[in-house]
Amino acid sequence: MFKKYLRRLCQLIFIFIFFYLLIRNEYLIKNVIPVNLFFRLDALLAIFTTISTCHFTYYFFPSLVLLFLLILFGNFFCWWICPFGGLIDILNMVFLRKKWKFLRKRPIFLKKLNIFLFILIIFTAILVNFVKIPNFFCFFDPFVIITRAFVFKNWYLFVFLFILLLSILWNRLWCLNICPLGFLYSLIGVKLRNFLIKKRRRKIEKEGVS
């Protein structure tokens, strides 16, 4: 129970930081913390930019540090830090989501959509070097969506609200089944981490037997 409330507190803190930086950036106020902090932590943006420009910039060094931490500690980012996921969890708590008897299963066609979108974004990044095509990255990155929703207040705001609605009806549907950034962090912080742990255990067991 303590861990649950601690996680909620962390989510609220990072939600506040995200909107604080967003407001200060909009009014061009200087910050100690970089206003683009969350974009620097966006490993999907780092991969897309590096592939599409054939150049890696130090701007994305924090995302490399984050990926290393995900391997060490698991996918804590999506559940403790991500302001998008935090807003979804807070709204689920406000609307007493756990007390609902909403029995419909998650739509089957959405269950693996995050994998498809991740591949599409990588494929798009490669093609950008050769032909002019739409930048699909901007349509599915959570930080792009939430930033444009509150800064430009255009159709991204409706997309953002629609995602929140879906994630209330089906708990964290966006995070677990659609978000390509969440898929990447789960791939690194869960799949790769578990693989490395099992590999290390087998090595230790083998050395113990010999």
Side-chain angles (χ1 to χ4, degrees):
M1 185 65 71
F2 173 76
K3 184 178 179 180
K4 175 183 176 181
Y5 288 117
L6 180 61
R7 184 163 71 89
R8 289 287 181 268
L9 178 61
C10 285
Q11 288 176 322
L12 286 172
I13 290 172
F14 283 105
I15 290 172
F16 172 80
I17 291 174
F18 179 83
F19 284 105
Y20 171 78
L21 294 176
L22 198 63
I23 292 171
R24 292 185 72 88
N25 182 52
E26 191 171 358
Y27 290 97
L28 302 177
I29 302 174
K30 291 184 178 180
N31 294 278
V32 176
I33 305 174
V35 294
N36 51 16
L37 172 65
F38 287 92
F39 286 99
R40 288 172 178 252
L41 293 171
D42 191 334
L44 186 62
L45 176 59
I47 293 173
F48 179 87
T49 305
T50 301
I51 294 176
S52 60
T53 62
C54 298
H55 173 71
F56 180 81
T57 173
Y58 72 91
Y59 174 96
F60 293 115
F61 180 74
S63 68
L64 296 181
V65 176
L66 176 60
L67 291 179
F68 177 73
L69 293 176
L70 291 177
I71 294 176
L72 292 180
F73 304 109
N75 184 18
F76 61 88
F77 184 87
C78 293
W79 300 96
W80 290 74
I81 298 177
C82 180
F84 209 127
L87 281 172
I88 290 172
D89 282 346
I90 299 300
L91 286 176
N92 278 327
M93 183 176 64
V94 170
F95 289 105
L96 303 175
R97 173 65 183 82
K98 289 187 176 181
K99 293 187 177 181
W100 292 10
K101 293 184 178 180
F102 194 77
L103 301 178
R104 292 191 62 183
K105 295 181 179 179
R106 296 170 185 264
I108 297 177
F109 70 94
L110 291 178
K111 286 189 174 180
K112 300 296 181 181
L113 183 58
N114 51 5
I115 302 176
F116 171 77
L117 293 177
F118 178 78
I119 295 174
L120 176 64
I121 288 171
I122 299 302
F123 184 64
T124 302
I126 297 172
L127 286 183
V128 163
N129 290 291
F130 306 100
V131 294
K132 291 184 178 181
I133 57 175
N135 185 353
F136 290 104
F137 172 84
C138 292
F139 300 126
F140 300 108
D141 185 83
F143 299 137
V144 174
I145 293 173
I146 191 173
T147 299
R148 293 191 175 187
F150 286 93
V151 172
F152 299 111
K153 300 179 178 64
N154 53 12
W155 60 273
Y156 274 96
L157 180 59
F158 295 100
V159 172
F160 173 69
L161 294 176
F162 182 66
I163 290 172
L164 291 181
L165 176 61
L166 286 180
S167 298
I168 292 174
L169 296 178
W170 291 280
N171 187 31
R172 271 201 174 231
L173 179 69
W174 164 262
C175 304
L176 298 174
N177 301 109
I178 304 176
C179 180
L181 179 62
F183 167 75
L184 174 61
Y185 287 160
S186 293
L187 185 67
I188 301 298
V190 180
K191 300 292 185 182
L192 178 59
R193 182 172 183 269
N194 289 341
F195 171 77
L196 293 175
I197 290 175
K198 289 179 181 178
K199 185 176 180 181
R200 179 173 176 77
R201 284 177 179 173
R202 286 197 296 265
K203 183 178 179 181
I204 294 174
E205 291 173 357
K206 187 176 180 181
E207 290 177 350
V209 172
S210 59

